[in-house]
Amino acid sequence: MAVVVSELTENVAGEHAQLVIPITLFVAVLCLCIVIGHLLQENQWVNESITAIFIGSITGTVILILSKWKSSHILTFNEELFFIYLLPPIIFNAGFQVKKKQFFHNFLTIMLFGVVGVFISSLIITSGSWWLFPRLKFHGLTARDYLVLGTIFSATDTVCTLQVLHQDETPLLYSLVFGEGVVNDATTVVLFNAIQKIDVTKLNSKAGLRLIVDFLYLFSTSTALGVTAGLLTAYALKTLYFGRQVTFMCFTRSKIVLWEISGYSQTVSVKFGIHWNLIFQFAYRHASIREIALMVLMAYLSYMLAELFELSGILTVFFCGIVMSHYAWHNVTDSSRITTRYLFAMMSFVAETFIFLYVGMDALDIEKWRISKLSFGTSVAIYATIILLMSLGRAAFVFPLSALSNYMNRRADRTYKITFRHQVIIWWAGLMRGAVSIALAFKQYTFSGVTMDPTDAVMITNTIIVVLFSTVVFGFLTKPLISYLLPNSAPNNLSREESKILKEDMNLPLLSFEESATTNILRAKDSLSMLIERPVYTIHYYWRRFDDAYMRPIFGGPISSSSSR
Amino acid sequence: MAVVVSELTENVAGEHAQLVIPITLFVAVLCLCIVIGHLLQENQWVNESITAIFIGSITGTVILILSKWKSSHILTFNEELFFIYLLPPIIFNAGFQVKKKQFFHNFLTIMLFGVVGVFISSLIITSGSWWLFPRLKFHGLTARDYLVLGTIFSATDTVCTLQVLHQDETPLLYSLVFGEGVVNDATTVVLFNAIQKIDVTKLNSKAGLRLIVDFLYLFSTSTALGVTAGLLTAYALKTLYFGRQVTFMCFTRSKIVLWEISGYSQTVSVKFGIHWNLIFQFAYRHASIREIALMVLMAYLSYMLAELFELSGILTVFFCGIVMSHYAWHNVTDSSRITTRYLFAMMSFVAETFIFLYVGMDALDIEKWRISKLSFGTSVAIYATIILLMSLGRAAFVFPLSALSNYMNRRADRTYKITFRHQVIIWWAGLMRGAVSIALAFKQYTFSGVTMDPTDAVMITNTIIVVLFSTVVFGFLTKPLISYLLPNSAPNNLSREESKILKEDMNLPLLSFEESATTNILRAKDSLSMLIERPVYTIHYYWRRFDDAYMRPIFGGPISSSSSR
């Protein structure tokens, strides 16, 4: 494990215990989080992140007392652990489960928020803190530190957002905030790495241009890598046809294949004897296992390759997830489909809970508080300043960019318009800061989770406090805010057409997005005038034609469903 | 990661790359193994272990050339990696997927083989090598080394066995060899740890008694811990009722729940509006994710707790798997059932492949070959001696204990009699040595995977060669041997009743063992005389009554299916 074991475990004899104790503890607390999270799920004020943070801090307190006020955590934070093991499943699952229709319809707006927004926000936070921090008698930060500060506090927390907004209740908002979150993560990491490289003493327009070119290069190569990995997996699964003994009779969607098979094998057994039956069943199970393993490993491979080539693993694995759920997922047996869907969601869930647990535990790290020599008043002033700048920075791009997006979509129907109330929610929901901020802060201000410099310690405690505050306070208030601002958001008040589509989605819980896309084309075909008025639909329409004609025959996916209509 | 990164990666700059390169490489090679394993699955000579070993050694050669003949592996072996991350999923899956009926019917025989057998076998290997090694001009081993040697080469390889024998084709053999393998793993590890503790200079009957008492204590406490963890999970899942919004209409088994739900929610929506519908769907998905996470984490927690208390994690997690599949598995939603079944199998599959890949890669470790200063002739003589002693040691307990088992079951029907041909196969299939041997050898003879002592280096290379030889040669020959010795083993030649039961199993691929158990009770009830003649059935019958009356109402499971008949 990429962890440095703290003093507590060193007291216990034996090399073995160094790993066993922290793992046992974390697994036990994770179990507790799941059970308590379930018991509290009816509560509209508390979400799972907050639960995990609270349980984490309680555990931290217990450890602190047991270790005689020396250390509250049993693992020191290591950004390797975060970037190599915890982040990939979360982002991959996001790509795998995202409703692609919504995501691609709002693509331009999402990119505006996620890329331009981060630049604006970090500019405001950087310059604001540059101007304000010396006035609060807090000195010692270099130019690079200020730049990094802006980046760190521009990273919205995707994880938290997912728990507050629901894809089905507020589809547009969900798609915008979540899509922004993913692109934002990528942009932040890229910007962070770019800042590490540039020479801060020579900040001019050339360096700025360089930054943008770097960003575009990273964005395109990372995306290309993710798409390639996804397509390769889809092609391998389709060509090798792991479940060929069974898939040829799985064309009817209305029945679940497990029962299909047994029925089929009964018929076959008359001809081939029961032996065939057994080979058949064994091959089916084994095929599913291989398929699932291949999908998991290829997704992880794409992330690791991106990291190896110093690209953005987040973007790569996100697009890999999208491509896999669009093509590869259709080439596997039905058991594999169900399993992958839940497996990825489960992995992501556990990783998220782990992160928040850790943040809660880390908040009590006495050493860092001791090293930072600021008075209580100054500290609070600094937290308040950062939170204020964060809100300002976010407001500075959400409202103008929403207006721009509305202008671009001015001829589209009302569902794609971002109302002022929506804008307020987007602004608010994106104020939460999370694991990415923490990870970047540790990467910048510590050496393997340990810091001795007072200024660095202040930056770490700042980040932890801001993350805790924003997660708990903004997290608490978002659900009530949404119910207050959008009392009509509950789907039973939706227009009739929408509720019809919704119902369709309901009937096909695992296949919904495919069907919805088809419905869209049909609608698009019906009215040519609409098609002209709405360029996004046109692009989408041609993409679908290309997809059906060239991509799906090679990489898999249900062609029949659209060509038959 | 509990890995020490070798020289190769140190050439590449950056702390980040230290983890990224080995992980990327291993994941890529794993993907390759899966694809090639699939392509070769029709071949009766090659199994997946052999494929992985070959791919591993090819990768090793490539790395060796790239690193200019310095090192063939990118990770040095660390037994922590093996015991903490790779072994638990394999053993848990074994417990989860084992046909409990068969396992418990053959329980006594399995325990004889797995416990008494290991003692006999290691005694023979220890005394044989003690007598022969000095005659081969190989000196330098201490008394403890000889004892450890006996233990190491008494550990049969469960993983390989699973790939050669099939549960459906040769149920009795599978159950015996596999059951022995699991108990054997546990016994070996316990014995190994016991040898580390005892004072080898004072080997008397008291020390021997102490060893046996230690063993019994470890066996019972480990089993109790595993059963407790499993029951706790079952109870938590049943009481908390994660999927309560949906499970109350999942009582009909003949339909898959996903389609049930959507149908149901349509009806409900008339009454409650669509909003309910959405909560419903969301809760269902989220419930499944929580359930799966809880099962995975609790299983792992049981293993880690056993390790923490210095019990046998293998036994604990094995019994935890059995209890979970007997109770907990029935308390979850149907999606969770499918997912857990495939998820555990997949994790186990990946871990197994990884181990064999590693063994293949490690065989080319030039350094160890260089340190051991034996001549080629002596080395070969040592390998031959060990393999001979292994075969003798195994023969010395398989044939007598089989006779004993047949004597105990003398009144049972013919299906439970171990024929001479069966005995030969049991003897042969258990000759394969695998990951446990390697892990124990590294634990004994190296310090974090590195050894400088010539004698230790010889022991390591011995172990690797014996594992490679036994896996490849015995692995190659087992399938042909079975077809030669048991030409009637193919199920189409089974008796009519058996094939009927087989068919039943086929119809309920996910629920088979429950139904089979019920069938047994029915059969047992039918003939009281048979019940008296076969004590195992009697125990089983009373256990079932106790299970139905007390256990299942508390911990979950399908009571109705047996009480209704």
Side-chain angles (χ1 to χ4, degrees), chain B residues 243-261:
Chain B
R244 70 163 161 281
Q245 290 93 338
V246 278
T247 34
F248 59 87
M249 64 251 171
C250 304
F251 46 80
T252 47
R253 277 189 180 172
S254 53
K255 286 166 197 166
I256 284 290
V257 76
L258 280 174
W259 307 96
E260 272 277 63
I261 295 158

Side-chain angles (χ1 to χ4, degrees), chain A residues 1-3 15-16 19-21 23-24 27-28 30-31 34-35 37-39 41-42 48 79-80 83-85 97 166 168-169 236 240-245 253-256 258-259 262-263 265-266 269 272-275 277-279 281-286 288-294 296-298 300-301 304-305 307-308 335 338-339 341-343 345-346 349-350 443 447-448 490-492 499 502-503 505-511, chain B residues 1-3 15-16 19-21 23-24 27-28 30-31 34-35 37-39 41-42 48 78-80 83-85 97 166 168-169 236 240-245 253-256 258-259 262 265-266 269 272-275 277-279 281-286 288-290 292-294 296-298 300-301 304-305 307-308 335 338-339 341-343 345-346 349-350 443 447-448 490-492 499 502-503 505-511:
Chain A
M1 289 278 284
V3 293
E15 182 191 331
H16 200 56
L19 268 172
V20 173
I21 291 179
I23 294 177
T24 312
V27 174
L30 273 175
C31 287
I34 292 171
V35 171
H38 167 71
L39 293 174
Q41 78 174 349
E42 312 295 322
E48 248 151 3
E79 76 272 1
E80 294 288 348
F83 280 108
I84 292 184
Y85 304 106
Q97 315 270 4
H166 295 312
D168 303 304
E169 284 174 18
L240 296 175
Y241 223 15
F242 286 85
R244 71 162 160 281
Q245 290 92 337
R253 276 190 183 176
S254 53
K255 286 167 195 164
I256 283 291
L258 279 175
W259 307 97
S262 52
S265 60
Q266 292 293 332
S269 63
F272 294 90
I274 298 160
H275 192 67
N277 229 335
L278 289 172
I279 293 170
Q281 197 197 7
F282 178 76
Y284 177 79
R285 280 225 184 153
H286 210 62
S288 290
I289 293 164
R290 278 212 193 90
E291 284 169 352
I292 300 162
L294 198 65
V296 174
L297 290 172
M298 282 299 287
Y300 194 57
L301 185 63
M304 292 312 285
L305 279 177
E307 290 290 304
L308 194 65
S335 316
I338 296 172
T339 306
R341 210 129 262 240
Y342 285 97
L343 169 63
M346 191 272 287
F349 171 71
V350 172
K443 200 170 183 177
F447 184 75
S448 297
N492 45 349
S499 69
L502 220 57
K503 260 190 191 167
D505 277 10
M506 217 73 351
N507 287 338
L508 303 159
L510 291 169
L511 312 157
Chain B
M1 288 280 282
V3 292
E15 182 192 331
H16 201 55
L19 269 172
V20 173
I21 290 179
I23 293 177
T24 312
V27 173
L30 273 175
C31 288
I34 292 171
V35 171
H38 168 72
L39 294 175
Q41 77 173 352
E42 312 296 323
E48 249 151 3
N78 190 315
E79 77 272 1
E80 295 288 347
F83 281 108
I84 292 184
Y85 303 106
Q97 316 270 1
H166 293 312
D168 304 305
E169 285 174 18
L240 294 175
Y241 222 16
F242 286 85
R244 70 163 161 281
Q245 290 93 338
R253 277 189 180 172
S254 53
K255 286 166 197 166
I256 284 290
L258 280 174
W259 307 96
S262 53
S265 60
Q266 292 293 331
S269 64
F272 295 90
I274 299 159
H275 191 66
N277 230 335
L278 290 172
I279 292 171
Q281 196 195 8
F282 177 76
Y284 177 78
R285 281 225 184 154
H286 209 62
S288 290
I289 292 162
R290 277 212 193 91
I292 299 162
L294 198 65
V296 174
L297 291 172
M298 282 300 287
Y300 194 57
L301 184 63
M304 293 312 285
L305 278 176
E307 290 290 304
L308 194 65
S335 318
I338 297 173
T339 306
R341 215 128 259 237
Y342 286 97
L343 169 63
M346 190 272 287
F349 171 70
V350 172
K443 201 170 182 177
F447 185 75
S448 298
N492 44 349
S499 71
L502 220 58
K503 260 190 189 168
D505 277 11
M506 218 72 352
N507 287 338
L508 302 159
L510 290 169
L511 312 157

Side-chain angles (χ1 to χ4, degrees), chain B residues 356-367:
Chain B
F356 283 106
L357 206 56
Y358 189 82
V359 170
M361 225 182 253
D362 204 65
L364 292 164
D365 185 7
I366 287 206
E367 233 171 288

Side-chain angles (χ1 to χ4, degrees), chain A residues 317-337:
Chain A
V317 84
F318 179 71
F319 279 98
C320 184
I322 289 182
V323 173
M324 273 204 191
S325 78
H326 193 64
Y327 297 112
W329 192 72
H330 295 281
N331 300 336
V332 299
T333 61
D334 274 20
S335 316
S336 302
R337 289 186 202 187

Side-chain angles (χ1 to χ4, degrees), chain A residues 55-99:
Chain A
I55 294 176
S57 48
I58 292 166
T59 317
T61 317
V62 173
I63 299 173
L64 198 62
I65 293 166
L66 286 180
S67 70
K68 287 164 194 154
W69 308 97
K70 273 171 78 186
S71 170
S72 75
H73 49 164
I74 200 154
L75 304 172
T76 58
F77 193 90
N78 190 313
E79 76 272 1
E80 294 288 348
L81 173 71
F82 176 73
F83 280 108
I84 292 184
Y85 304 106
L86 299 174
L87 198 59
I90 298 177
I91 305 293
F92 177 76
N93 183 55
F96 197 78
Q97 315 270 4
V98 76
K99 289 210 168 167

